[in-house]
């Protein structure tokens, strides 16, 4: 039987969505692109790039079908790449009225769900610097198909079956990057940052294992690699946000200063609920420290003074 033609839709118009559109169009694929704001679409069409995010990426308009109608994009495609900040997913999909294949509530069958994870920053994709992506899917055939759509001379891809583990790793690495930023803002140096990150990967391992037991190597790129680039890179919005908090910004003022969403802020609250549910406070001192600062209103200086005694 002939292979099913992939009709690709990208949902979201931020930095990572724009980077994914670049990768896919560089590979010759036509992309149906959901961009929520019609004015944003007009600006992209006028400038030939996304003026709000990674504006250095030139976009081939002839390969793009942009629409501010979510239902139009979803109904046109049989493969969706979702690049919308997690905090806004329910709000976005609340407008969905058309069925998506055998969609049940908010999801498709598990074998058709994949996770694209780094380490990979949109800004380096824009520069076509060599980057690695892991595509996690329990159906390796589907995972390899997606990996094939993304692979090129500057994107290397590999596949994994650990959908849940890589997703949790992506959530927690943003929280740990926030912690790294807070530490930097407070004046802690590289020596402490190294200790913080080495404790963070062990903390991540314990939490993921408590949620989803599976044989995995936490030192692989999808886990440790993604943590390191998010914790150290100058492009990391989570580290930037944390740095502001460490320097004394309020959450509200730090958010106002940034033009991009720091996923770690929203993740910290959800992660803390998970930690409470598992009774895992002692296993997750870093994630708990970030939560206390962001949502408990506690002093970053005092919280980190206590945290340093819990690390080794």
């Amino acid at each position: 039987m002939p292979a099913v033609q992939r009709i690709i839709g990208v949902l979201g118009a931020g930095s990572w969505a724009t980077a994914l559109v670049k990768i896919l169009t560089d590979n010759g694929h036509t992309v149906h692109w959901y961009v929520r704001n019609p004015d944003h679409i007009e600006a992209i069409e006028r400038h030939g790039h996304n003026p709000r995010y990674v504006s250095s990426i030139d976009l081939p308009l002839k390969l793009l079908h942009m629409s501010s109608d979510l239902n139009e994009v979803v109904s046109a495609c049989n493969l969706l790449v979702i690049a919308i900040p997690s905090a806004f997913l329910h709000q976005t999909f609340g407008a969905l009225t058309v069925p998506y294949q055998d969609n049940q509530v908010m999801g498709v069958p598990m074998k058709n769900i994949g996770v694209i994870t780094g380490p990979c920053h949109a800004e380096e994709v824009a520069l076509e610097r060599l980057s690695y992506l892991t595509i996690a899917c329990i159906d390796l055939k589907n995972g390899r198909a997606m990996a094939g759509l993304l692979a090129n001379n500057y994107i290397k891809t590999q596949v994994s079956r650990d959908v849940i583990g890589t997703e949790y790793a992506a959530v927690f690495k943003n929280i740990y990057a926030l912690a790294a930023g807070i530490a930097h803002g407070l004046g802690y140096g590289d020596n402490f940052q190294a200790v913080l990150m080495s404790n963070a990967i062990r903390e991540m391992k314990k939490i993921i294992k408590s949620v989803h037991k599976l044989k995995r190597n936490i030192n692989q790129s999808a886990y440790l690699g993604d943590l390191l680039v998010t914790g150290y890179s100058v492009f990391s919005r989570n580290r930037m946000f944390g740095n502001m908090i460490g320097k004394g910004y309020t959450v509200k003022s730090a958010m106002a200063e940034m033009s991009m969403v720091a996923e770690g802020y929203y993740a910290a609250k959800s992660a803390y609920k998970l930690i409470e549910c598992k009774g895992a406070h002692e296993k997750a001192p870093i994630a708990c420290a970030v939560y206390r600062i962001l949502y408990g209103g506690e002093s970053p200086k005092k919280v980190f003074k206590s945290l340093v005694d819990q690390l080794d």
Side-chain angles (χ1 to χ4, degrees), residues 18 21-22 25 33 44 48-50 57-62 64:
T18 305
V21 168
K22 170 184 167 56
T25 54
W33 193 4
I44 294 171
H49 63 256
N50 188 341
I57 294 178
D58 291 325
L59 297 167
L61 298 179
K62 63 182 180 180
L64 297 177

Side-chain angles (χ1 to χ4, degrees), residues 219-235:
N219 296 320
Q220 288 180 332
S221 297
Y223 313 95
L224 177 59
D226 209 8
L227 169 65
L228 292 177
V229 76
T230 310
Y232 287 129
S233 176
V234 294
F235 295 127

Side-chain angles (χ1 to χ4, degrees), residues 1-7 78:
M1 292 180 65
V4 176
Q5 181 185 6
R6 302 286 182 175
I7 305 173
N78 58 19

Side-chain angles (χ1 to χ4, degrees), residues 125-286:
V125 171
L127 296 168
E128 297 188 5
R129 290 179 176 169
L130 183 61
S131 302
Y132 288 69
L133 294 175
T134 295
I135 292 80
C137 185
I138 61 170
D139 186 319
L140 289 182
K141 182 180 178 182
N142 286 338
R144 291 189 189 103
M146 189 69 218
L149 294 174
L150 295 169
N152 58 30
N153 65 312
Y154 62 88
I155 298 291
K156 304 300 180 187
T157 59
Q158 57 188 0
V159 296
S160 164
R161 279 196 172 99
D162 190 15
V163 177
I164 294 174
T166 54
E167 184 67 23
Y168 271 103
V171 170
F172 276 87
K173 56 96 175 177
N174 288 331
I175 300 169
Y176 299 138
L178 261 168
I182 293 171
H184 185 267
L186 288 171
Y188 289 90
D190 292 342
N191 293 341
F192 176 75
Q193 291 281 7
V195 172
L196 182 67
M197 288 294 101
S198 64
N199 276 264
I201 192 62
R202 282 177 280 157
E203 183 172 307
M204 179 189 289
K205 181 179 181 179
K206 293 174 186 175
I207 293 169
I208 295 175
K209 186 177 180 180
S210 72
V211 175
H212 184 57
K213 289 185 179 180
L214 185 75
K215 186 177 181 180
R216 63 174 62 86
N217 182 355
I218 204 73
N219 296 320
Q220 288 180 332
S221 297
Y223 313 95
L224 177 59
D226 209 8
L227 169 65
L228 292 177
V229 76
T230 310
Y232 287 129
S233 176
V234 294
F235 295 127
S236 172
R237 66 192 93 172
N238 290 287
R239 182 183 168 96
M240 185 190 306
F241 183 81
N243 185 51
M244 292 181 185
I245 298 298
K247 288 183 178 296
Y249 282 68
T250 64
V251 168
K252 187 176 181 179
S253 60
M255 283 186 164
E257 187 86 6
M258 293 180 64
S259 61
M260 297 179 289
V261 174
E263 289 257 21
Y265 170 72
Y266 301 99
K269 188 174 184 179
S270 299
Y272 189 76
K273 289 181 180 178
L274 173 67
I275 291 164
E276 275 196 317
C277 180
K278 296 288 183 180
H281 296 82
E282 292 183 2
K283 294 180 180 179
I286 303 172

